[in-house]
Amino acid sequence: MNLQTLFQDFNPSKFIVHSCLLTFTIFFALRLDNSTNWSYWTVFSPIWVWKALVISGATVGSYVWWRYPHFRLEGEAYIHYKSMLISLALHLILLMFELLVCDKLESSRHLWILVFIPLIFISIVSIAVCIWAVKHERSFELELFCAVNVLQFIFLALRLDGFIAWSWEVVFVPLWIVMCLSLVGVLYTIIFAAILLRTPEVNAQQRRSSFQSALGYTFLVIPVLIFQVLLANKLDEDIRMSFIAVVSPLFVSFVTLILMSFSAKGANKWWFGLRKDFCSFLLGACPLLQEYGNIAYQPDRRTNGVELEQQMDKYDAHIKKADLMKPVLPIISIEMPD
């Protein structure tokens, strides 16, 4: 078992985010189906855990940044720290939107268009953040999702408030466009992986990587598209399905994202002030885990007396052969004159 190989590209941030979203999706679907009587503040508990980890991680990272100035000279420390602050600001605005959504579902005392204002603001700001991330080679999945769906958020708010009477299939038009582009990307990865599999000049590592990418994006995009079709038909009352059945394709996408987080690079090293990869930090903080990961255990095999004697004879013969193969060096005695 090689823990360093397992966690060398592990991105703990993506793992936590996708796990929390998976749990929240299950809770929210069960609440819409009236399978539980939890309040929406309880249903949103995975989201609160996610935001609490973001705020605490940025707080600890900022403390380490200002407490130890010499850490700022380590590689791209300034870029990582700025990226963490930008992500924190976006998450705080997103937290405001989630609080408004939860309050709206509980009390219904304000319009949905007011609830979506923080999300629309994030979508506009995310365009500039995406440009900055591309310039500094940083990941921007959440920012890209918000930037390309700004029109979708506006349509959702207007439809929920009743200002427009479009069917949900029409309301989801911006998302249909995004999904069509995603399908084109999936088709490209599949074709590219097929070409590499039939090219003898490409090594096995590249073939395996391209095949895994094609497989991962397929299990990521196709279930989301199925979920979108089911959701539109469910809201238009064209089909009779429970919400847990409607969102079930999303479970495949979230599980795929969780698995892909073990091979996702680009984690910010300033969250919680780690300043190193998660694997290095984990093995350094847990010496017993490091010792276990570096030891290869083999099942015990009992041997009888005959087998033990044969093994000892082979060992003695190997030692004698090694002694015969040693070079003989002459020993020259040098005597000092009186």
Side-chain angles (χ1 to χ4, degrees):
M1 181 178 180
N2 193 339
L3 294 181
Q4 187 171 0
T5 303
L6 181 63
F7 288 102
Q8 62 182 354
D9 296 330
F10 178 60
N11 193 317
S13 302
K14 293 183 179 181
F15 179 82
I16 293 174
V17 170
H18 300 148
S19 300
C20 291
L21 288 176
L22 173 60
T23 309
F24 165 73
T25 303
I26 298 174
F27 288 175
F28 193 69
L30 293 175
R31 181 64 177 83
L32 292 178
D33 288 332
N34 294 323
S35 299
T36 62
N37 296 324
W38 300 341
S39 66
Y40 283 101
W41 297 102
T42 305
V43 172
F44 277 69
S45 57
I47 303 298
W48 311 141
V49 172
W50 168 17
K51 294 302 182 293
L53 290 174
V54 170
I55 296 174
S56 58
T59 303
V60 175
S62 298
Y63 171 78
V64 174
W65 173 270
W66 293 106
R67 181 66 177 80
Y68 304 98
H70 58 279
F71 290 162
R72 307 173 191 176
L73 304 177
E74 299 176 352
E76 299 179 346
Y78 277 93
I79 296 178
H80 283 269
Y81 185 69
K82 289 179 182 178
S83 176
M84 185 186 70
L85 294 182
I86 293 173
S87 179
L88 174 64
L90 294 178
H91 277 83
L92 289 177
I93 302 175
L94 186 60
L95 176 62
M96 184 184 303
F97 163 74
E98 293 159 353
L99 291 172
L100 290 174
V101 169
C102 199
D103 183 66
K104 170 64 177 177
L105 294 174
E106 286 288 337
S107 62
S108 300
R109 55 185 171 186
H110 38 254
L111 297 175
W112 280 105
I113 192 65
L114 298 177
V115 174
F116 275 83
I117 286 178
L119 196 57
I120 296 172
F121 177 75
I122 289 179
S123 301
I124 298 174
V125 175
S126 294
I127 299 175
V129 175
C130 290
I131 297 174
W132 181 88
V134 171
K135 181 180 178 180
H136 295 88
E137 298 180 355
R138 303 299 304 166
S139 60
F140 50 94
E141 287 85 358
L142 177 62
E143 295 80 1
L144 181 62
F145 173 79
C146 294
V148 300
N149 287 299
V150 56
L151 189 61
Q152 181 64 78
F153 299 147
I154 297 175
F155 285 178
L156 285 175
L158 295 176
R159 180 63 177 84
L160 290 173
D161 283 331
F163 291 116
I164 56 177
W166 303 340
S167 65
W168 284 99
E169 292 181 353
V170 178
V171 172
F172 287 142
V173 165
L175 199 54
W176 296 124
I177 298 174
V178 174
M179 293 307 301
C180 290
L181 296 176
S182 301
L183 287 176
V184 172
V186 170
L187 183 61
Y188 168 78
T189 57
I190 293 175
I191 295 175
F192 183 72
I195 293 175
L196 290 185
L197 288 176
R198 299 182 63 89
T199 304
E201 293 81 6
V202 180
N203 56 39
Q205 180 65 26
Q206 292 178 340
R207 295 179 182 177
R208 190 182 308 111
S209 178
S210 62
F211 175 77
Q212 292 175 354
S213 298
L215 190 64
Y217 287 122
T218 301
F219 280 96
L220 176 62
V221 175
I222 300 300
V224 174
L225 180 60
I226 298 174
F227 158 74
Q228 186 177 343
V229 173
L230 294 177
L231 181 62
N233 292 328
K234 170 68 175 178
L235 296 177
D236 287 331
E237 297 182 353
D238 294 335
I239 58 174
R240 290 187 177 182
M241 294 179 63
S242 62
F243 278 100
I244 193 65
V246 170
V247 302
S248 57
L250 282 183
F251 301 158
V252 178
S253 297
F254 283 130
V255 171
T256 302
L257 288 172
I258 292 173
L259 295 177
M260 291 174 65
S261 65
F262 286 90
S263 60
K265 300 180 180 180
N268 197 315
K269 300 179 181 180
W270 278 100
W271 291 109
F272 290 97
L274 299 181
R275 299 185 300 105
K276 59 180 69 175
D277 296 331
F278 177 77
C279 175
S280 302
F281 172 79
L282 183 63
L283 296 180
C286 304
L288 294 179
L289 185 61
Q290 182 178 5
E291 182 178 359
Y292 172 75
N294 290 336
I295 294 178
Y297 291 94
Q298 296 181 355
D300 186 17
R301 180 176 180 270
R302 296 181 177 273
T303 57
N304 54 28
V306 177
E307 292 178 345
L308 181 61
E309 185 177 356
Q310 292 177 354
Q311 292 178 2
M312 293 300 296
D313 293 338
K314 291 181 180 179
Y315 178 77
D316 294 336
H318 177 72
I319 294 298
K320 292 179 180 179
K321 183 178 180 181
D323 292 335
L324 293 175
M325 294 178 64
K326 289 183 179 180
V328 180
L329 299 178
I331 300 177
I332 302 176
S333 177
I334 302 178
E335 296 180 359
M336 297 295 295
D338 296 335

PDB file of all heavy atoms in Angstrom, residues 110-131:
ATOM      1  N   HIS A 110     -40.215  37.190   1.208  1.00  0.00           N
ATOM      2  CA  HIS A 110     -39.654  38.086   0.210  1.00  0.00           C
ATOM      3  C   HIS A 110     -39.634  37.395  -1.144  1.00  0.00           C
ATOM      4  O   HIS A 110     -39.860  36.185  -1.242  1.00  0.00           O
ATOM      5  CB  HIS A 110     -38.234  38.557   0.590  1.00  0.00           C
ATOM      6  CG  HIS A 110     -37.390  37.507   1.231  1.00  0.00           C
ATOM      7  ND1 HIS A 110     -37.092  37.497   2.564  1.00  0.00           N
ATOM      8  CD2 HIS A 110     -36.808  36.395   0.715  1.00  0.00           C
ATOM      9  CE1 HIS A 110     -36.344  36.447   2.857  1.00  0.00           C
ATOM     10  NE2 HIS A 110     -36.162  35.771   1.756  1.00  0.00           N
ATOM     11  N   LEU A 111     -39.375  38.159  -2.182  1.00  0.00           N
ATOM     12  CA  LEU A 111     -39.413  37.644  -3.540  1.00  0.00           C
ATOM     13  C   LEU A 111     -38.154  36.839  -3.858  1.00  0.00           C
ATOM     14  O   LEU A 111     -37.079  37.070  -3.283  1.00  0.00           O
ATOM     15  CB  LEU A 111     -39.555  38.795  -4.543  1.00  0.00           C
ATOM     16  CG  LEU A 111     -40.837  39.632  -4.446  1.00  0.00           C
ATOM     17  CD1 LEU A 111     -40.774  40.792  -5.427  1.00  0.00           C
ATOM     18  CD2 LEU A 111     -42.063  38.766  -4.702  1.00  0.00           C
ATOM     19  N   TRP A 112     -38.288  35.937  -4.829  1.00  0.00           N
ATOM     20  CA  TRP A 112     -37.148  35.141  -5.249  1.00  0.00           C
ATOM     21  C   TRP A 112     -36.101  35.987  -5.974  1.00  0.00           C
ATOM     22  O   TRP A 112     -34.918  35.672  -5.944  1.00  0.00           O
ATOM     23  CB  TRP A 112     -37.608  34.000  -6.155  1.00  0.00           C
ATOM     24  CG  TRP A 112     -38.163  32.829  -5.411  1.00  0.00           C
ATOM     25  CD1 TRP A 112     -39.471  32.471  -5.292  1.00  0.00           C
ATOM     26  CD2 TRP A 112     -37.412  31.858  -4.663  1.00  0.00           C
ATOM     27  NE1 TRP A 112     -39.596  31.338  -4.524  1.00  0.00           N
ATOM     28  CE2 TRP A 112     -38.352  30.937  -4.133  1.00  0.00           C
ATOM     29  CE3 TRP A 112     -36.072  31.671  -4.391  1.00  0.00           C
ATOM     30  CZ2 TRP A 112     -37.980  29.852  -3.349  1.00  0.00           C
ATOM     31  CZ3 TRP A 112     -35.679  30.589  -3.617  1.00  0.00           C
ATOM     32  CH2 TRP A 112     -36.626  29.697  -3.103  1.00  0.00           C
ATOM     33  N   ILE A 113     -36.536  37.029  -6.633  1.00  0.00           N
ATOM     34  CA  ILE A 113     -35.579  37.877  -7.340  1.00  0.00           C
ATOM     35  C   ILE A 113     -34.612  38.533  -6.365  1.00  0.00           C
ATOM     36  O   ILE A 113     -33.439  38.739  -6.667  1.00  0.00           O
ATOM     37  CB  ILE A 113     -36.317  38.938  -8.197  1.00  0.00           C
ATOM     38  CG1 ILE A 113     -35.356  39.624  -9.138  1.00  0.00           C
ATOM     39  CG2 ILE A 113     -37.043  39.931  -7.302  1.00  0.00           C
ATOM     40  CD1 ILE A 113     -34.754  38.755 -10.187  1.00  0.00           C
ATOM     41  N   LEU A 114     -35.093  38.840  -5.145  1.00  0.00           N
ATOM     42  CA  LEU A 114     -34.200  39.383  -4.117  1.00  0.00           C
ATOM     43  C   LEU A 114     -33.246  38.306  -3.600  1.00  0.00           C
ATOM     44  O   LEU A 114     -32.098  38.600  -3.252  1.00  0.00           O
ATOM     45  CB  LEU A 114     -35.023  39.961  -2.964  1.00  0.00           C
ATOM     46  CG  LEU A 114     -35.943  41.142  -3.318  1.00  0.00           C
ATOM     47  CD1 LEU A 114     -36.750  41.567  -2.094  1.00  0.00           C
ATOM     48  CD2 LEU A 114     -35.125  42.311  -3.846  1.00  0.00           C
ATOM     49  N   VAL A 115     -33.735  37.073  -3.554  1.00  0.00           N
ATOM     50  CA  VAL A 115     -32.894  35.962  -3.098  1.00  0.00           C
ATOM     51  C   VAL A 115     -31.747  35.722  -4.064  1.00  0.00           C
ATOM     52  O   VAL A 115     -30.603  35.454  -3.654  1.00  0.00           O
ATOM     53  CB  VAL A 115     -33.748  34.688  -2.935  1.00  0.00           C
ATOM     54  CG1 VAL A 115     -32.861  33.491  -2.610  1.00  0.00           C
ATOM     55  CG2 VAL A 115     -34.798  34.889  -1.856  1.00  0.00           C
ATOM     56  N   PHE A 116     -32.014  35.858  -5.372  1.00  0.00           N
ATOM     57  CA  PHE A 116     -31.014  35.549  -6.387  1.00  0.00           C
ATOM     58  C   PHE A 116     -30.042  36.700  -6.661  1.00  0.00           C
ATOM     59  O   PHE A 116     -29.120  36.523  -7.468  1.00  0.00           O
ATOM     60  CB  PHE A 116     -31.706  35.146  -7.696  1.00  0.00           C
ATOM     61  CG  PHE A 116     -32.077  33.698  -7.758  1.00  0.00           C
ATOM     62  CD1 PHE A 116     -33.253  33.236  -7.168  1.00  0.00           C
ATOM     63  CD2 PHE A 116     -31.257  32.786  -8.392  1.00  0.00           C
ATOM     64  CE1 PHE A 116     -33.603  31.898  -7.232  1.00  0.00           C
ATOM     65  CE2 PHE A 116     -31.594  31.443  -8.457  1.00  0.00           C
ATOM     66  CZ  PHE A 116     -32.775  30.996  -7.868  1.00  0.00           C
ATOM     67  N   ILE A 117     -30.237  37.854  -6.039  1.00  0.00           N
ATOM     68  CA  ILE A 117     -29.334  38.982  -6.287  1.00  0.00           C
ATOM     69  C   ILE A 117     -27.878  38.645  -5.941  1.00  0.00           C
ATOM     70  O   ILE A 117     -26.964  38.935  -6.732  1.00  0.00           O
ATOM     71  CB  ILE A 117     -29.823  40.233  -5.526  1.00  0.00           C
ATOM     72  CG1 ILE A 117     -31.062  40.818  -6.218  1.00  0.00           C
ATOM     73  CG2 ILE A 117     -28.724  41.286  -5.453  1.00  0.00           C
ATOM     74  CD1 ILE A 117     -31.647  42.020  -5.517  1.00  0.00           C
ATOM     75  N   PRO A 118     -27.569  38.040  -4.774  1.00  0.00           N
ATOM     76  CA  PRO A 118     -26.162  37.672  -4.513  1.00  0.00           C
ATOM     77  C   PRO A 118     -25.593  36.702  -5.546  1.00  0.00           C
ATOM     78  O   PRO A 118     -24.422  36.826  -5.936  1.00  0.00           O
ATOM     79  CB  PRO A 118     -26.218  37.033  -3.119  1.00  0.00           C
ATOM     80  CG  PRO A 118     -27.444  37.576  -2.501  1.00  0.00           C
ATOM     81  CD  PRO A 118     -28.427  37.727  -3.618  1.00  0.00           C
ATOM     82  N   LEU A 119     -26.421  35.756  -6.010  1.00  0.00           N
ATOM     83  CA  LEU A 119     -25.932  34.787  -6.990  1.00  0.00           C
ATOM     84  C   LEU A 119     -25.675  35.450  -8.344  1.00  0.00           C
ATOM     85  O   LEU A 119     -24.695  35.121  -9.031  1.00  0.00           O
ATOM     86  CB  LEU A 119     -26.951  33.655  -7.141  1.00  0.00           C
ATOM     87  CG  LEU A 119     -26.463  32.371  -7.813  1.00  0.00           C
ATOM     88  CD1 LEU A 119     -25.270  31.799  -7.075  1.00  0.00           C
ATOM     89  CD2 LEU A 119     -27.584  31.355  -7.884  1.00  0.00           C
ATOM     90  N   ILE A 120     -26.527  36.392  -8.723  1.00  0.00           N
ATOM     91  CA  ILE A 120     -26.309  37.120  -9.978  1.00  0.00           C
ATOM     92  C   ILE A 120     -25.048  37.982  -9.871  1.00  0.00           C
ATOM     93  O   ILE A 120     -24.265  38.077 -10.829  1.00  0.00           O
ATOM     94  CB  ILE A 120     -27.547  37.977 -10.308  1.00  0.00           C
ATOM     95  CG1 ILE A 120     -28.762  37.069 -10.560  1.00  0.00           C
ATOM     96  CG2 ILE A 120     -27.284  38.854 -11.524  1.00  0.00           C
ATOM     97  CD1 ILE A 120     -30.060  37.823 -10.714  1.00  0.00           C
ATOM     98  N   PHE A 121     -24.824  38.569  -8.707  1.00  0.00           N
ATOM     99  CA  PHE A 121     -23.615  39.369  -8.499  1.00  0.00           C
ATOM    100  C   PHE A 121     -22.362  38.490  -8.596  1.00  0.00           C
ATOM    101  O   PHE A 121     -21.354  38.882  -9.202  1.00  0.00           O
ATOM    102  CB  PHE A 121     -23.676  40.056  -7.135  1.00  0.00           C
ATOM    103  CG  PHE A 121     -22.452  40.848  -6.800  1.00  0.00           C
ATOM    104  CD1 PHE A 121     -22.206  42.064  -7.402  1.00  0.00           C
ATOM    105  CD2 PHE A 121     -21.525  40.357  -5.885  1.00  0.00           C
ATOM    106  CE1 PHE A 121     -21.071  42.801  -7.094  1.00  0.00           C
ATOM    107  CE2 PHE A 121     -20.386  41.079  -5.572  1.00  0.00           C
ATOM    108  CZ  PHE A 121     -20.157  42.309  -6.181  1.00  0.00           C
ATOM    109  N   ILE A 122     -22.419  37.289  -8.013  1.00  0.00           N
ATOM    110  CA  ILE A 122     -21.291  36.357  -8.117  1.00  0.00           C
ATOM    111  C   ILE A 122     -21.020  36.009  -9.577  1.00  0.00           C
ATOM    112  O   ILE A 122     -19.867  35.918 -10.016  1.00  0.00           O
ATOM    113  CB  ILE A 122     -21.572  35.089  -7.297  1.00  0.00           C
ATOM    114  CG1 ILE A 122     -21.508  35.382  -5.815  1.00  0.00           C
ATOM    115  CG2 ILE A 122     -20.573  33.990  -7.639  1.00  0.00           C
ATOM    116  CD1 ILE A 122     -21.809  34.182  -4.941  1.00  0.00           C
ATOM    117  N   SER A 123     -22.085  35.812 -10.348  1.00  0.00           N
ATOM    118  CA  SER A 123     -21.920  35.427 -11.754  1.00  0.00           C
ATOM    119  C   SER A 123     -21.197  36.508 -12.542  1.00  0.00           C
ATOM    120  O   SER A 123     -20.364  36.214 -13.411  1.00  0.00           O
ATOM    121  CB  SER A 123     -23.293  35.147 -12.377  1.00  0.00           C
ATOM    122  OG  SER A 123     -23.952  34.123 -11.673  1.00  0.00           O
ATOM    123  N   ILE A 124     -21.500  37.766 -12.246  1.00  0.00           N
ATOM    124  CA  ILE A 124     -20.839  38.874 -12.959  1.00  0.00           C
ATOM    125  C   ILE A 124     -19.380  38.983 -12.531  1.00  0.00           C
ATOM    126  O   ILE A 124     -18.474  39.123 -13.363  1.00  0.00           O
ATOM    127  CB  ILE A 124     -21.596  40.188 -12.710  1.00  0.00           C
ATOM    128  CG1 ILE A 124     -23.032  40.080 -13.255  1.00  0.00           C
ATOM    129  CG2 ILE A 124     -20.868  41.357 -13.344  1.00  0.00           C
ATOM    130  CD1 ILE A 124     -23.898  41.261 -12.937  1.00  0.00           C
ATOM    131  N   VAL A 125     -19.136  38.878 -11.228  1.00  0.00           N
ATOM    132  CA  VAL A 125     -17.766  38.985 -10.722  1.00  0.00           C
ATOM    133  C   VAL A 125     -16.927  37.782 -11.170  1.00  0.00           C
ATOM    134  O   VAL A 125     -15.712  37.908 -11.389  1.00  0.00           O
ATOM    135  CB  VAL A 125     -17.786  39.105  -9.186  1.00  0.00           C
ATOM    136  CG1 VAL A 125     -16.368  39.088  -8.619  1.00  0.00           C
ATOM    137  CG2 VAL A 125     -18.501  40.376  -8.762  1.00  0.00           C
ATOM    138  N   SER A 126     -17.562  36.627 -11.333  1.00  0.00           N
ATOM    139  CA  SER A 126     -16.824  35.416 -11.689  1.00  0.00           C
ATOM    140  C   SER A 126     -16.175  35.523 -13.063  1.00  0.00           C
ATOM    141  O   SER A 126     -15.191  34.832 -13.329  1.00  0.00           O
ATOM    142  CB  SER A 126     -17.767  34.206 -11.660  1.00  0.00           C
ATOM    143  OG  SER A 126     -18.212  33.959 -10.344  1.00  0.00           O
ATOM    144  N   ILE A 127     -16.705  36.375 -13.932  1.00  0.00           N
ATOM    145  CA  ILE A 127     -16.079  36.548 -15.248  1.00  0.00           C
ATOM    146  C   ILE A 127     -14.659  37.094 -15.092  1.00  0.00           C
ATOM    147  O   ILE A 127     -13.706  36.591 -15.698  1.00  0.00           O
ATOM    148  CB  ILE A 127     -16.940  37.481 -16.123  1.00  0.00           C
ATOM    149  CG1 ILE A 127     -18.323  36.875 -16.329  1.00  0.00           C
ATOM    150  CG2 ILE A 127     -16.258  37.736 -17.455  1.00  0.00           C
ATOM    151  CD1 ILE A 127     -19.283  37.781 -17.072  1.00  0.00           C
ATOM    152  N   ALA A 128     -14.512  38.124 -14.251  1.00  0.00           N
ATOM    153  CA  ALA A 128     -13.184  38.681 -13.995  1.00  0.00           C
ATOM    154  C   ALA A 128     -12.305  37.684 -13.243  1.00  0.00           C
ATOM    155  O   ALA A 128     -11.091  37.592 -13.502  1.00  0.00           O
ATOM    156  CB  ALA A 128     -13.308  39.983 -13.202  1.00  0.00           C
ATOM    157  N   VAL A 129     -12.902  36.915 -12.341  1.00  0.00           N
ATOM    158  CA  VAL A 129     -12.128  35.926 -11.590  1.00  0.00           C
ATOM    159  C   VAL A 129     -11.604  34.834 -12.517  1.00  0.00           C
ATOM    160  O   VAL A 129     -10.464  34.363 -12.367  1.00  0.00           O
ATOM    161  CB  VAL A 129     -12.984  35.326 -10.461  1.00  0.00           C
ATOM    162  CG1 VAL A 129     -12.229  34.216  -9.745  1.00  0.00           C
ATOM    163  CG2 VAL A 129     -13.387  36.401  -9.463  1.00  0.00           C
ATOM    164  N   CYS A 130     -12.407  34.411 -13.485  1.00  0.00           N
ATOM    165  CA  CYS A 130     -11.961  33.396 -14.450  1.00  0.00           C
ATOM    166  C   CYS A 130     -10.777  33.902 -15.267  1.00  0.00           C
ATOM    167  O   CYS A 130      -9.826  33.145 -15.529  1.00  0.00           O
ATOM    168  CB  CYS A 130     -13.112  33.005 -15.362  1.00  0.00           C
ATOM    169  SG  CYS A 130     -14.426  32.069 -14.555  1.00  0.00           S
ATOM    170  N   ILE A 131     -10.829  35.163 -15.665  1.00  0.00           N
ATOM    171  CA  ILE A 131      -9.705  35.734 -16.426  1.00  0.00           C
ATOM    172  C   ILE A 131      -8.439  35.740 -15.574  1.00  0.00           C
ATOM    173  O   ILE A 131      -7.343  35.386 -16.034  1.00  0.00           O
ATOM    174  CB  ILE A 131     -10.063  37.150 -16.909  1.00  0.00           C
ATOM    175  CG1 ILE A 131     -11.256  37.088 -17.881  1.00  0.00           C
ATOM    176  CG2 ILE A 131      -8.869  37.811 -17.574  1.00  0.00           C
ATOM    177  CD1 ILE A 131     -11.763  38.449 -18.306  1.00  0.00           C
TER     178      ILE A 131
END
